Amino acid sequence: MSIEHGTVDITRTFAAPAAAVFAAWSQQAAQEAWGDPGPDWQMRFERFGFAVGESDLCRFGPKGGPVYLNENRYLQIRPQERIAYASLLREDGTLTFAGTVVVALEAVPDGTRMRLVEQGTYFDGRDKAEDHQAGWQAMLEAMDRYLRQQAHAA
């Protein structure tokens, strides 16, 4: 049995206003559009409770692969500024990750700068920060595509 700690720290600028970036986090349909790490993955929310003290419950994973259960409990929500939540991840019922995620938004001349910091504990070698880093990078690429599509549709 092992316990490892790690941090994912990603800063990215989106060519979209802070309200649009915040909406991408705060709306279930938006998260369903960008929130899985690749085309061979699937996800579905069993519960979506984007409010302080509420939680989301989401199942996801690669088609034909392991099923992950992600639960996020919202600790702080400041529209267009910051989202903080506690996160648990289970693979086939076994806890693999526990941590916090903070998303900070800042309006900049060319859109919105977003900084995502995930600090976590990874259990028994079944998960690691490098995998979360890669997953977040893929999801934020998908978020960028989603935001561009939304801007073109408007």
Side-chain angles (χ1 to χ4, degrees):
M1 297 186 62
S2 66
I3 298 172
E4 294 185 27
H5 296 277
T7 300
V8 173
D9 191 340
I10 302 170
T11 299
R12 174 173 191 131
T13 300
F14 296 100
V21 178
F22 181 79
W25 284 95
S26 64
Q27 298 173 2
Q28 181 176 342
Q31 279 203 28
E32 289 171 343
W34 66 263
D36 63 59
D40 294 331
W41 288 63
Q42 51 196 4
M43 69 173 285
R44 68 179 168 81
F45 281 98
E46 293 181 11
R47 178 176 66 239
F48 190 83
F50 188 82
V52 172
E54 297 295 323
S55 63
D56 295 338
L57 191 60
C58 177
R59 291 189 190 279
F60 71 101
K63 293 176 185 166
V67 176
Y68 301 97
L69 181 65
N70 181 219
E71 184 172 6
N72 299 323
R73 178 161 303 279
Y74 293 96
L75 306 172
Q76 183 184 56
I77 298 173
R78 292 171 59 182
Q80 301 179 38
E81 292 180 23
R82 184 170 43 230
I83 302 163
Y85 58 91
S87 186
L88 299 174
L89 184 63
R90 291 180 174 83
E91 178 185 351
D92 296 325
T94 300
L95 184 67
T96 62
F97 168 81
T100 58
V101 177
V102 177
V103 177
L105 305 175
E106 177 187 3
V108 294
D110 52 348
T112 302
R113 181 178 303 121
M114 184 193 79
R115 182 175 181 203
L116 180 144
V117 178
E118 176 189 89
Q119 294 180 303
T121 304
Y122 306 86
F123 299 100
D124 303 325
R126 294 181 67 150
D127 208 348
K128 55 188 173 186
E130 294 82 12
D131 292 343
H132 283 232
Q133 176 89 21
W136 278 119
Q137 291 284 15
M139 288 186 287
L140 295 178
E141 282 295 321
M143 179 189 276
D144 186 54
R145 288 190 300 276
Y146 170 81
L147 290 167
R148 289 177 190 278
Q149 290 170 349
Q150 294 299 104
H152 289 286

